[in-house]
Amino acid sequence: CGRVGAGASGGGGGGEEARDVIIDADALMRRFREDKCSLRVLHPQTRHDGMWKILATLETFFGCATGCNVYCTPPNSQGFAPHYDDIDAFVCQIEGEKRWRVYEPLEDEQYPRVSSKNFTQEEIMHQRVLFDGVLSAGDVLYMPRGAIHQAECSRGDELSVHATISTNQLNAPADLLEMSVGDMLQDFINTEKECRKSLPRTFLRDQWAQDGTEAGDAVERVVEFQREFLRRMTNGDEYINEARNRLGARLMLQRLPPPPSHFAKSPSYTGPAAARKMLEKAPPRVTLQL
């Protein structure tokens, strides 16, 4: 058995949170070999210093949270159906080879904020192919958010291992708007007591809400509130700044914790030769936990 963040995945996309559970290694390998399921290792940066350093560097460069999963796909198989993700992805081929096909985004689904369903081959057959090639160990493929993609082991006798590094999830002007407009609307509701009054009892019964009816008058009042709210939105700089602060606070909560080696016990030296012994060895690590 093994203890992980690891899971077997068949034809579906999406991600799962790592769970500290005991897995049945025999059952896992049986599904890998016989059912052609891919093995997904979640969050390898929590167990590997090298990966942690890569993600920490990208986190600083992009100014937002990063993540990573590692996928091991058995020979002559395809781990996931065609789909697109809600993140920018860097595919790093570690071992073996894998054929990747990347298609242009759907016209009305560019820059998505959520990942897609699984597409059939028929649904994407008319999408323009942006990339069709085989990645070998050491190759890196960048896929922007919304690009439809699928991958398969290109050789029948060799498994494939790759890492997918993700960034820029929910990191767009749309997210600032969602935060700032929500705050503005809440402040508007708090200051405009008239818009908090109950709707007339006939509001839902009057299907057309015609002028001169109670329902019609209520609709007109809502339209007036909309106009006033939109007028106030022209002075929304302070709300944008507050949303920016909230985006920064979210990043602080999402930032990578110290790598595993920072929790290793530092060597201890005593006696007259302590200084010399410490210099001969690697310097001890110091970790500050808040």
Side-chain angles (χ1 to χ4, degrees):
C1 292
R3 184 181 291 273
V4 204
S9 59
E16 298 175 5
E17 292 299 319
R19 298 188 300 274
D20 189 19
V21 296
I22 300 296
I23 59 174
D24 186 329
D26 291 335
L28 186 70
M29 293 310 299
R30 185 168 58 252
R31 295 207 62 194
F32 180 79
R33 295 192 181 102
E34 299 176 9
D35 299 337
K36 298 298 184 180
C37 290
S38 289
L39 174 66
R40 177 171 55 196
V41 180
L42 304 176
H43 316 312
Q45 67 272 18
T46 62
R47 300 172 177 83
H48 188 271
D49 274 10
M51 183 60 72
W52 184 94
K53 291 176 183 177
I54 292 173
L55 294 192
T57 300
L58 291 176
E59 189 178 75
T60 300
F61 179 80
F62 286 110
C64 65
T66 57
C68 182
N69 291 329
V70 172
Y71 300 86
C72 182
T73 303
N76 196 29
S77 69
Q78 179 170 332
F80 296 101
H83 67 283
Y84 63 71
D85 295 310
D86 60 346
I87 46 89
D88 291 335
F90 296 89
V91 177
C92 307
Q93 191 69 26
I94 298 172
E95 183 179 333
E97 294 182 345
K98 206 165 198 179
R99 179 191 179 192
W100 286 83
R101 282 171 286 179
V102 183
Y103 307 83
E104 64 181 351
L106 298 173
E107 181 63 30
D108 57 347
E109 297 184 25
Q110 297 184 33
Y111 310 114
R113 302 183 71 207
V114 294
S115 297
S116 74
K117 67 170 187 174
N118 292 330
F119 297 111
T120 64
Q121 299 297 336
E122 290 72 22
E123 287 176 306
I124 64 170
M125 63 184 299
H126 298 299
Q127 294 301 114
R128 183 165 63 95
V129 178
L130 302 177
F131 175 82
D132 185 350
V134 175
L135 298 188
S136 301
D139 290 341
V140 177
L141 172 65
Y142 167 70
M143 293 187 299
R145 184 161 44 108
I148 301 171
H149 56 276
Q150 60 179 324
E152 60 186 350
C153 267
S154 55
R155 296 179 59 177
D157 59 348
E158 188 177 43
L159 58 77
S160 164
V161 180
H162 80 270
T164 296
I165 297 174
S166 61
T167 187
N168 276 326
Q169 184 181 47
L170 298 179
N171 188 47
D175 300 287
L176 287 175
L177 282 172
E178 193 170 62
M179 294 178 187
S180 58
V181 173
D183 290 343
M184 292 176 69
L185 180 59
Q186 190 58 57
D187 284 353
F188 179 82
I189 292 172
N190 290 340
T191 57
E192 293 292 329
K193 65 180 181 181
E194 291 297 318
C195 73
R196 301 197 302 270
K197 287 185 176 180
S198 300
L199 291 167
R201 61 186 182 81
T202 60
F203 184 75
L204 295 181
R205 291 204 297 269
D206 188 347
Q207 182 177 2
W208 303 109
Q210 298 174 349
D211 292 343
T213 65
E214 287 186 320
D217 293 343
V219 169
E220 182 58 33
R221 285 199 301 275
V222 172
V223 171
E224 291 174 0
F225 290 135
Q226 279 184 328
R227 292 187 183 123
E228 177 60 20
F229 175 66
L230 292 174
R231 186 188 65 79
R232 296 188 190 183
M233 283 182 65
T234 58
N235 301 314
D237 288 356
E238 62 180 287
Y239 290 95
I240 294 292
N241 290 331
E242 178 58 28
R244 182 173 179 269
N245 292 335
R246 289 172 60 186
L247 207 62
R250 187 184 73 181
L251 174 58
M252 292 301 102
L253 292 174
Q254 294 174 333
R255 296 204 77 161
L256 293 169
S261 62
H262 281 208
F263 293 103
K265 185 177 180 180
S266 300
S268 176
Y269 303 100
T270 58
R276 178 178 57 79
K277 290 180 180 179
M278 186 176 71
L279 290 174
E280 290 174 352
K281 305 289 184 180
R285 295 179 181 271
V286 177
T287 300
L288 176 64
Q289 298 184 33
L290 301 178

